[in-house]
């Protein structure tokens, strides 16, 4: 649902309606109103559909603007492990608490409750599949409260003479560009999927580089291995019923490869946490070259006859 709502086709009628009304923005909920899509009309008339990670960055920035300076240390934001770590970069610079959870808002909601019991105020959480939790009145993704916050944000920035695209650029300039590339392959064979992940794990001898880029850390939430922990044991919950391996590369790219619990897919989620001042074009090129190398080396689509989705 999230991917469909964020797609251009799902919003075409909204764009036509907005253009007829002279509106610059479109906000859209899915049928059960637990997700939010956002789009902005650009100067050339084209519509920019923001990704879930971009909306997450914008709403996190907006929520943080309302946190008094003396309350930052007791303020918290969360996101899932396959979502952008922009708010982690924000937290490092601004001094609030950031936490990462497994995918799914049951993990976010439960962790938010724990944090509030410990005296923290959770002001925002999100997942890249356009799911957002603004505050803790609803301990789940909620498209209605997210749309209300987005409307306030848009109104404020518009009155200040700026746009969401410009604000996103300002966020990147402050915390570094955080660019994502997420997609999937279709594979109907459980045996093939197992062979692919066995090839990645190499009986515990995980790869140390991919292409010409060194791998600085690997976390496997299927086996419980985390090379970044002193005891090599993952902190996040482990499940042997599905595959999920994350790589951190020395060039700033992180990549998670996982299986879907409901569909015959091998999904990948990637992000590069760029450096302030470095162009988006250069940062995007680094992300793409690293992800392309990882797909070729780890997933080997041709060898395993992995199918690309029809829209690719």
């Amino acid at each position: 649902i999230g991917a469909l709502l964020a797609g251009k086709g799902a919003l075409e009628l909204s764009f036509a309606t907005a253009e007829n009304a002279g509106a610059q923005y479109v906000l859209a909920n899915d049928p059960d109103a637990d997700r939010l899509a956002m789009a902005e009309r650009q100067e050339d008339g084209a519509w920019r559909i923001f990704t879930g990670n971009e909306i997450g960055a914008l709403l996190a920035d907006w929520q943080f603007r309302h946190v008094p300076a003396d309350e930052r240390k007791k303020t918290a934001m969360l996101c899932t492990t396959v979502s952008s770590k922009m708010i982690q970069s924000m937290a490092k610079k601004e001094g609030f608490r950031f936490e990462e959870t497994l995918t799914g808002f049951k993990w976010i909601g439960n962790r938010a409750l724990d944090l509030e019991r410990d005296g923290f105020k959770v002001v925002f959480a999100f997942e890249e599949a356009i799911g957002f939790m603004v505050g803790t009145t609803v301990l789940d993704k909620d498209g209605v409260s997210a749309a209300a916050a987005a409307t306030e944000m848009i109104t404020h920035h518009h009155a200040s003479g700026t746009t969401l695209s410009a604000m996103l650029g300002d966020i990147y300039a402050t915390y570094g560009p955080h660019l994502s590339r997420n997609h999937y392959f279709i594979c109907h064979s459980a045996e093939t999927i197992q062979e692919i992940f066995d090839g990645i794990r190499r009986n515990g001898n995980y790869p140390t580089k991919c292409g010409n880029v060194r791998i600085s850390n690997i976390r496997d939430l299927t086996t419980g291995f985390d090379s970044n922990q002193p005891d090599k044991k993952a902190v996040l919950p482990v499940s042997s019923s599905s595959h999920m391996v994350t790589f951190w590369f020395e060039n700033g790219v992180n990549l998670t490869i996982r299986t879907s619990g409901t569909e015959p897919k091998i999904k990948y989620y990637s992000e590069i946490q760029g450096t302030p001042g470095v162009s988006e074009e250069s940062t995007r090129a680094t992300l793409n070259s690293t992800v392309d190398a990882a797909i070729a080396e780890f997933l080997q689509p041709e060898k395993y006859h992995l199918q690309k989705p029809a829209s690719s």
Side-chain angles (χ1 to χ4, degrees):
I1 291 294
L4 290 173
L5 183 58
K8 183 178 180 181
L11 299 176
E12 286 293 350
L13 291 177
S14 298
F15 293 160
T17 302
E19 289 168 10
N20 289 335
Q24 188 179 359
Y25 293 94
V26 164
L27 304 182
N29 293 130
D30 58 339
D32 60 352
D34 65 349
R35 300 179 194 269
L36 173 70
M38 289 173 45
E40 177 184 73
R41 195 177 186 189
Q42 307 298 290
E43 290 186 359
D44 64 359
W47 285 92
R48 174 179 181 172
I49 302 174
F50 295 100
T51 68
N53 284 330
E54 291 171 337
I55 300 172
L58 287 164
L59 286 175
D61 174 74
W62 177 245
Q63 289 297 101
F64 178 70
R65 289 167 181 257
H66 296 86
V67 177
D70 60 352
E71 295 181 12
R72 291 183 180 183
K73 290 186 177 180
K74 280 297 183 178
T75 296
M77 298 193 201
L78 305 89
C79 74
T80 61
T81 187
V82 298
S83 301
S84 171
K85 299 305 178 293
M86 171 58 82
I87 57 176
Q88 182 180 40
S89 296
M90 292 176 61
K92 289 178 180 178
K93 186 177 180 68
E94 308 296 351
F96 62 85
R97 177 78 169 263
F98 164 78
E99 292 218 6
E100 178 185 52
T101 74
L102 293 182
T103 54
F105 264 82
K106 68 176 182 180
W107 299 102
I108 287 178
N110 284 328
R111 187 58 191 144
L113 276 177
D114 291 340
L115 286 167
E116 295 216 321
R117 291 190 188 106
D118 291 338
F120 288 90
K121 182 178 181 180
V122 178
V123 298
F124 182 66
F126 85 102
E127 63 180 4
E128 55 82 33
I130 59 173
F132 310 98
M133 186 181 84
V134 180
T136 54
T137 301
V138 179
L139 282 167
D140 200 349
K141 58 181 180 288
D142 177 42
V144 177
S145 57
T151 301
E152 292 179 343
M153 173 180 67
I154 290 168
T155 302
H156 172 83
H157 291 322
H158 183 75
S160 302
T162 190
T163 64
L164 293 190
S165 293
M167 285 307 306
L168 193 61
D170 289 345
I171 293 170
Y172 287 166
T174 302
Y175 305 107
H178 287 53
L179 307 178
S180 303
R181 176 180 161 187
N182 304 335
H183 213 22
Y184 64 90
F185 289 97
I186 299 169
C187 182
H188 293 276
S189 169
E191 292 77 12
T192 297
I193 291 174
Q194 185 64 51
E195 186 175 346
I196 289 171
F197 281 90
D198 285 345
I200 292 173
R201 295 187 177 102
R202 305 177 185 179
N203 293 317
N205 296 311
Y206 292 87
T208 58
K209 65 183 301 185
C210 178
N212 59 359
V213 182
R214 292 196 61 80
I215 297 170
S216 56
N217 180 38
I218 294 177
R219 181 181 64 198
D220 188 340
L221 292 181
T222 304
T223 66
F225 173 78
D226 188 339
S227 64
N228 200 42
Q229 299 300 320
D231 60 0
K232 307 302 180 186
K233 294 182 179 179
V235 175
L236 289 176
V238 175
S239 174
S240 60
S241 63
S242 61
H243 296 285
M244 186 172 184
V245 182
T246 301
F247 304 87
W248 284 265
F249 298 90
E250 288 188 347
N251 61 2
V253 173
N254 66 75
L255 169 72
T256 295
I257 303 173
R258 75 179 185 96
T259 50
S260 169
T262 58
E263 300 170 296
K265 296 178 179 179
I266 300 175
K267 299 182 176 183
Y268 64 88
Y269 307 79
S270 65
E271 181 180 49
I272 183 168
Q273 299 181 35
T275 304
V278 177
S279 72
E280 285 191 37
E281 293 77 11
S282 174
T283 304
R284 175 73 68 183
T286 300
L287 173 66
N288 285 336
S289 63
T290 304
V291 173
D292 287 343
I295 290 173
E297 183 170 336
F298 298 149
L299 297 183
Q300 303 180 65
E302 292 78 17
K303 175 182 176 180
Y304 292 111
H305 305 291
L306 303 181
Q307 302 171 39
K308 293 181 179 180
S311 59
S312 294

